[in-house]
Every structure is written in C-alpha cells, then in structure tokens.
Amino acid sequence: MKLLLTALLLMSLSAKAQMEKFEGVWTSPTSSYFTTIMYNEEKDQFKIINFSFKEDEVIYEKITKVEDDKIFTSLHNESNSYSVNVIYELLNDDQILCVFEGDINRRVAITRMPMDKNYD
C-alpha cells in the first residue's frame, strides 16, 4: 500500500513539473505576437494570452484539453475573423511546437524568452 501511495505521489509531482514547463513567454521570428502561458497550480488550469505591440492587440485562447505534454486550444481573432485550433507540444525546456488547424494550417516552433522566475 505504501508503495502504491509513493508511486501516485511521484506521478503527481512529475505531472505538475511537466505542466510548469509550459509556463513562460514564447516567441517566433515569423510572428509579431508573443504567447504567454500561465499555469495556476491551485486551480490546475492554464491561461494562454497572445499579444502584439505591432498590432496593438490581445487574443485569448480557450483551453479545450490538456494532456501530459500537450495543450489543445481554440482562438478567434475578431479583427480579421481568423479562427484556428492550436496544439501546443513541448519539444524541450525551451521550445514548443504549435500546430495550427483552421483558417491557417501550419506548424511553428516557438522559443521561450529568457526571464528570471525567482520573483517570490
């Protein structure tokens, strides 16, 4: 019984660590948008917000599903009626593959912007 509880605790800690790897501000040289991914541990939920200084715009994504190393979302850009579903997949600690399907179909790797996470 103790072994089972220990295994479940380790799996839970591993899943939490995996979710936290998505957190950050991500960018791509092919877009003027920055993607901000936040994870609320207490609510066990993500928020994804895209913003562009060039376009002077903010776009929120709706989370539709979360798996071990993937986040599934949908977004609608009202300024151009652009709608897509997006799959975010961790490639490594500093890169995410974004697969867009809908009004545009493409794959883009986004890179984590360096930031100091020691803000406690």
Side-chain angles (χ1 to χ4, degrees), residues 69-109:
D69 62 348
K70 293 181 183 176
I71 301 173
F72 298 79
T73 72
S74 63
L75 72 81
H76 178 75
N77 184 338
E78 291 183 21
S79 67
N80 62 8
S81 297
Y82 170 93
S83 292
V84 292
N85 293 316
V86 185
I87 301 170
Y88 293 90
E89 181 178 0
L90 279 173
L91 296 175
N92 57 52
D93 287 348
D94 293 316
Q95 281 197 313
I96 293 176
L97 176 65
C98 300
V99 179
F100 296 88
E101 294 178 343
D103 288 333
I104 189 167
N105 297 296
R106 68 180 180 163
R107 301 162 73 88
V108 176

Side-chain angles (χ1 to χ4, degrees), residues 4-61:
L4 177 60
L5 290 175
T6 302
L8 290 173
L9 177 62
L10 289 174
M11 286 173 48
S12 173
L13 292 175
S14 175
K16 177 184 173 258
Q18 190 73 353
M19 294 296 105
E20 288 179 347
K21 287 183 179 182
F22 278 103
E23 281 192 304
V25 178
W26 304 82
T27 185
S28 164
T30 62
S31 176
S32 69
Y33 283 87
F34 296 89
T35 300
T36 302
I37 302 176
M38 297 173 283
Y39 176 65
N40 184 318
E41 184 180 341
E42 290 176 12
K43 295 180 181 180
D44 190 30
Q45 70 182 28
F46 283 96
K47 276 188 185 177
I48 300 180
I49 302 165
N50 300 283
F51 65 92
S52 170
F53 295 112
K54 179 180 177 184
E55 305 295 329
D56 191 27
E57 189 166 44
V58 175
I59 302 171
Y60 297 90
E61 295 189 42

